[in-house]
Amino acid sequence: MFALPEPPLDAIASLGHSEYERDFLRREFEPGLQYYADRLRRLMFAGGRLLDAGCGAGQWSLAASPVFERVDAFDINLPRLDVTRRLARQLGIRNVAIAAGSIESLPYAPESFDAILCYGVIVFTDIAAALEQFNRVLKPGGRVYVCLSADGWSHFLIRERGPAEPRVADIGRQTLYNAYWRRASQRGIARQLRRVLAQLREMHPRGAALRRLTATDSQQLARRSLLSLELGQQLFGQVESFCGPEFVTKLLADAWVVATDDAAPQRSLKADALLPNELEALTEQAGFEAFQWSIEGGLTCDWLQPPLAPKYEGYYEGHLSVWEAMFVKPDTRPAAAADLSRHELAAIAARSGRLFLEPGEVTVLSNASVDTFPRELFERARRIGVRLGGSKYLDLLVKAATTGATSEADAMTRLLEFVQRSIFRDPVSQPLTADGGMPDPLTILMSARGRCSHTTALLIDVFTRAGLEARPRQLTNHVIAEVKVDGRWVIADADAFKNGIVLRNRGGQLLSLDDVRDDPYQLDRYQPTGWWIRPGSRFTTGATGRQVTGYVDALDPAERGFVSGYYNASARGYPPPLPLIDHFEVSSGRLIVEWKPARDQRSRDVRYRVAVGSASRGWTYDAPGMGDQIRRTPQRDVCYVETAETRVDVPIDATAPRLYVSVTACNERVEVEPETFFWPSEEVVVDR
Ligand SMILES: C[S@@+](CC[C@H](N)C(=O)[O-])C[C@H]1O[C@@H](n2cnc3c(N)ncnc32)[C@H](O)[C@@H]1O
């Protein structure tokens, strides 16, 4: 585990040779090296050799040093590299190699690095050249993380920091000026200006005698040329509004040069502001794939980690400001040997309750659109599948899962459990192809996330490979697989039911749709573990660190209804909501528990089951996990009471120092199915 000492901030700042540098060092090291290490963990950046391209004073390099074999800290600024070197020495770090130069021509051999980090640098360089270099020095399959700024950052510098720091405001204006020109150039403004200027010159009183034109003449002509073009008007308006009057003069001079000398506009500062589609096009030109982006701090590959506060705001006054991107150098190497543990790892990495957020001015939860599952993860899943051998790998998995099976039913349940454990229900960010379609079964498996249609597609594929007949069945708001076992078509559901819940009829046989048609309620004896539940509406802290609401409401079991209703429309019904315990105590050998009535408009008689145990059931709704533990019901070894009241007061003679209390609300559904499963309340702990 990472345990680098954090050098004192004052000592770091004192390494700066100017006030500006001391401020810079203070700002960059203030979050602490652990913060940077945590950010790298969320990107799953670890292992092999990392290039910190434009490392500055080296905080990312130092933070990365414990998880990479080697880190190359590279920058054009020698005093900053010196700070990196001194800090590494102070901290006893030996695997950070320091080198100076420009990222536009890297001094490293092809395919040297496993990953590249480039934070706050690329907009100061020739971006196409830097990306080409990244592609050259990266190994196939290696990833690049880039953090950069768009227009909002310049607006922020001008408006917020500008009044106290005129130099900073000027950087903001120059950057916007460069970006506006670049965009106009990409849309062909040079050609258009040349054409218009030629026409205007012909009409000018002093004709084509260009050399005799005064500066005022050329300014006027440049202005008229610009304003006669739609693109020119846009450029003129942007420069006038956001860069200021002195830049209008520069704009006219540059327009003149562009139109008459076929030259690029003068850039007094090498800085640009890029939007995601602009960088994406450049990464594709440089040979990368799987581009994905987010506002700063939003990208995550490790869904098990809680989000971290970003370093910068993603938007300023409606303009995208600081943002980040990740992309991959394609890996076309031949498939490696099949290895089950890789699949397990993919599944573990993807299992969590995190919701994917579409970053924007207002953070929104995505639902079932193609962009909700991060493209990078999707592409990685697809590539891993191909690398593992594609369809042949699925054959191997099926063989591994069914080897030793003693019957068709045994093979079927093994495969069902395999898929139940592999695909974690994710109602929000389900993997879909770029055109919104269902991915191939292996990509579904490697993505490890999905909904009923994903599990059904995968189940049918693996059953068929195992030699069983299988087909999809569309139900009310649900899709399942049916598989023929010993001559009977039976249900395989790896979406509503997880963790080894194999449905059986009252006779103990695998459950069929015929059984469900005759007696739908027997389905409700099983815990619907794939249908996520939370007590009431709660806020969720999203990837950007903001709180969002929206999805969890629908996941209350009282809103969802019983599973039987999804299989058979005639069985519609709703369980009561979870009871909320609001008072509990043990005194003079008696246990008193009170709860709020779990009123359910749809059911008349709500009854309560109060279970008191000496051990915890081991899970909470806030972090229910996906493992077997959620199948554990409340312990009732100390006391168990059924009541229609909202209070119990019972004698307790247990010696356990702690008691665990749950209350479960039940309704009239128990009359048609006495074993109906109802979710228990959050567990409370009573210390004696
Ligand atoms: C805003 S700082 C970011 C530094 C560091 N990555 C961080 O997160 O603190 C920008 C850095 O880019 C470096 N830089 C600018 N142009 C460069 C180039 N062409 N090649 C290498 N480094 C460059 C600067 O020297 C500076 O240290």
Side-chain angles (χ1 to χ4, degrees):
M1 197 44 212
F2 181 78
L4 272 178
E6 298 274 355
L9 210 49
D10 286 340
I12 300 174
S14 70
L15 300 175
H17 56 79
S18 67
E19 203 45 50
Y20 181 86
E21 278 303 294
R22 285 189 282 278
D23 270 0
F24 174 79
L25 292 175
R26 205 175 274 286
R27 228 181 10 252
E28 295 308 321
F29 281 87
E30 177 145 40
L33 291 181
Q34 186 61 52
Y35 170 82
Y36 292 101
D38 289 343
R39 287 277 298 261
L40 290 167
R41 252 183 96 187
R42 276 155 184 75
L43 299 171
M44 288 186 163
F45 262 41
R49 188 172 170 191
L50 172 75
L51 173 64
D52 184 357
C55 62
Q59 76 276 18
W60 288 101
S61 289
L62 300 174
S65 65
V67 293
F68 281 91
E69 277 149 41
R70 172 176 166 152
V71 178
D72 288 80
F74 185 83
D75 202 285
I76 207 164
N77 181 322
L78 292 174
R80 283 191 183 165
L81 283 179
D82 195 43
V83 173
T84 309
R85 187 178 293 114
R86 289 164 73 168
L87 286 174
R89 202 177 302 139
Q90 272 178 27
L91 296 172
I93 295 171
R94 291 165 191 279
N95 62 340
V96 174
I98 289 162
S102 168
I103 64 170
E104 293 161 5
S105 62
L106 290 169
Y108 301 104
E111 304 193 1
S112 299
F113 294 95
D114 297 275
I116 297 177
L117 176 114
C118 182
Y119 193 100
V121 183
I122 208 158
V123 290
F124 304 117
T125 68
D126 176 339
I127 300 173
L131 290 173
E132 202 189 303
Q133 289 292 303
F134 289 175
N135 194 277
R136 183 181 65 80
V137 301
L138 201 59
K139 292 179 187 167
R143 291 181 298 154
V144 185
Y145 167 87
V146 175
C147 182
L148 68 167
S149 41
D151 302 32
W153 179 245
S154 295
H155 291 294
F156 170 81
L157 294 182
I158 297 165
R159 299 277 294 263
E160 303 296 325
R161 288 183 50 189
E165 300 170 88
R167 190 179 142 216
V168 169
D170 193 51
I171 291 174
R173 293 194 184 98
Q174 303 264 10
T175 306
L176 284 179
Y177 183 78
N178 293 343
Y180 296 150
W181 253 120
R182 176 182 46 77
R183 287 174 194 148
S185 303
Q186 283 167 345
R187 293 169 64 195
I189 198 164
R191 194 176 18 86
Q192 294 183 26
L193 274 175
R194 271 197 298 279
R195 180 174 44 78
V196 175
L197 190 70
Q199 289 166 359
L200 286 174
R201 251 167 35 192
E202 273 176 27
M203 290 154 53
H204 194 269
R206 280 197 291 283
L210 253 183
R211 274 195 217 109
R212 286 205 298 275
L213 285 184
T214 64
T216 321
D217 286 336
S218 57
Q219 269 211 0
Q220 272 175 6
L221 278 177
R223 179 187 292 265
R224 282 175 61 196
S225 310
L226 276 170
L227 294 181
S228 68
L229 296 167
E230 203 184 316
L231 203 50
Q233 284 170 20
Q234 199 183 3
L235 178 61
F236 193 95
Q238 286 171 325
V239 169
E240 192 174 37
S241 322
F242 297 121
C243 305
E246 68 274 34
F247 279 84
V248 172
T249 313
K250 182 168 159 46
L251 171 68
L252 297 179
D254 277 334
W256 181 257
V257 172
V258 165
T260 55
D261 291 355
D262 206 7
Q266 289 286 313
R267 293 212 301 183
S268 39
L269 177 78
K270 205 171 179 183
D272 207 335
L274 253 79
L275 294 167
N277 61 330
E278 296 170 340
L279 182 66
E280 182 172 12
L282 289 170
T283 62
E284 279 170 7
Q285 274 164 30
F288 290 101
E289 64 175 18
F291 182 90
Q292 62 160 319
W293 74 276
S294 164
I295 55 174
E296 202 264 351
L299 289 179
T300 182
C301 296
D302 185 349
W303 297 80
L304 295 178
Q305 302 294 321
L308 282 182
K311 279 183 79 185
Y312 298 97
E313 280 291 318
Y315 286 86
Y316 180 74
E317 291 187 343
H319 299 276
L320 183 65
S321 180
V322 185
W323 60 284
E324 59 190 22
M326 195 142 54
F327 37 92
V328 184
K329 177 169 172 176
D331 185 354
T332 50
R333 289 173 298 189
D339 174 4
L340 251 172
S341 64
R342 308 251 343 222
H343 159 70
E344 296 278 355
L345 285 178
I348 290 164
R351 74 177 226 201
S352 99
R354 281 287 301 284
L355 304 176
F356 185 70
L357 305 172
E358 277 179 350
E361 245 188 295
V362 180
T363 310
V364 290
L365 283 173
S366 315
N367 199 358
S369 78
V370 65
D371 292 331
T372 60
F373 190 72
R375 278 309 332 137
E376 209 254 343
L377 281 188
F378 184 93
E379 289 303 331
R380 197 170 59 157
R382 198 182 50 75
R383 257 199 329 275
I384 290 173
V386 170
R387 211 182 304 154
L388 291 176
S391 177
K392 281 202 206 97
Y393 182 65
L394 269 175
D395 282 334
L396 287 175
L397 286 178
V398 169
K399 206 164 152 208
T402 54
T403 296
T406 52
S407 63
E408 276 188 8
D410 189 16
M412 178 273 188
T413 54
R414 286 175 185 222
L415 288 171
L416 175 62
E417 192 168 343
F418 169 66
V419 176
Q420 284 183 337
R421 287 182 188 281
S422 303
I423 306 297
F424 300 94
R425 184 182 167 79
D426 191 328
V428 179
S429 64
Q430 41 181 327
L432 296 172
T433 60
D435 60 4
M438 188 56 47
D440 64 275
L442 187 55
T443 302
I444 294 174
L445 184 65
M446 292 299 150
S447 303
R449 293 185 153 221
R451 299 177 77 170
C452 53
S453 47
H454 294 84
T455 52
T456 298
L458 181 56
L459 280 169
I460 289 172
D461 185 274
V462 296
F463 287 144
T464 310
R465 283 172 197 272
L468 297 168
E469 240 185 295
R471 63 190 185 195
R473 287 297 292 268
Q474 177 71 55
L475 310 172
T476 313
N477 292 328
H478 193 35
V479 174
I480 57 155
E482 263 193 310
V483 54
K484 207 171 202 177
V485 176
D486 300 327
R488 287 175 69 237
W489 284 102
V490 300
I491 295 166
D493 187 341
D495 177 60
F497 301 103
K498 301 282 192 193
N499 302 311
I501 294 183
V502 181
L503 307 173
R504 294 186 179 276
N505 64 20
R506 292 188 198 284
Q509 286 178 303
L510 292 169
L511 191 70
S512 69
L513 280 177
D514 287 343
D515 295 330
V516 170
R517 188 196 51 225
D518 297 342
D519 177 4
Y521 305 109
Q522 56 188 318
L523 265 169
D524 299 326
R525 295 180 303 165
Y526 295 93
Q527 227 165 347
T529 40
W531 291 5
W532 225 223
I533 52 167
R534 299 290 291 266
S537 174
R538 293 204 180 171
F539 284 101
T540 299
T541 304
T544 58
R546 292 186 217 189
Q547 294 212 309
V548 289
T549 51
Y551 197 78
V552 287
D553 284 3
L555 298 180
D556 192 299
E559 298 291 327
R560 271 284 185 204
F562 290 106
V563 182
S564 52
Y566 288 77
Y567 273 71
N568 184 329
S570 70
R572 269 246 166 265
Y574 294 83
L578 302 177
L580 284 176
I581 298 177
D582 54 10
H583 178 77
F584 52 91
E585 64 174 275
V586 177
S587 64
S588 325
R590 296 190 77 79
L591 169 71
I592 299 166
V593 187
E594 293 170 359
W595 56 92
K596 291 212 163 44
R599 282 212 197 294
D600 177 0
Q601 290 132 4
R602 303 176 190 98
S603 81
R604 289 146 295 148
D605 300 318
V606 172
R607 292 184 63 78
Y608 304 94
R609 295 170 178 165
V610 184
V612 185
S614 58
S616 169
R617 70 186 178 210
W619 59 271
T620 77
Y621 286 101
D622 270 340
M626 282 293 290
D628 293 332
Q629 38 131 284
I630 196 157
R631 291 176 60 189
R632 281 184 226 139
T633 49
Q635 293 253 348
R636 45 159 93 172
D637 58 327
V638 174
C639 165
Y640 178 74
V641 181
E642 286 203 32
T643 175
E645 309 294 321
T646 54
R647 178 178 203 273
V648 290
D649 178 349
V650 286
I652 288 282
D653 60 3
T655 50
R658 279 193 153 180
L659 298 176
Y660 298 84
V661 182
S662 303
V663 180
T664 305
C666 319
N667 64 4
E668 80 284 353
R669 185 56 75 94
V670 295
E671 287 158 23
V672 288
E673 173 51 66
E675 288 178 51
T676 302
F677 177 85
F678 296 94
W679 287 97
S681 70
E682 202 64 272
E683 187 175 59
V684 296
V685 180
V686 188
D687 276 319
R688 320 181 63 199

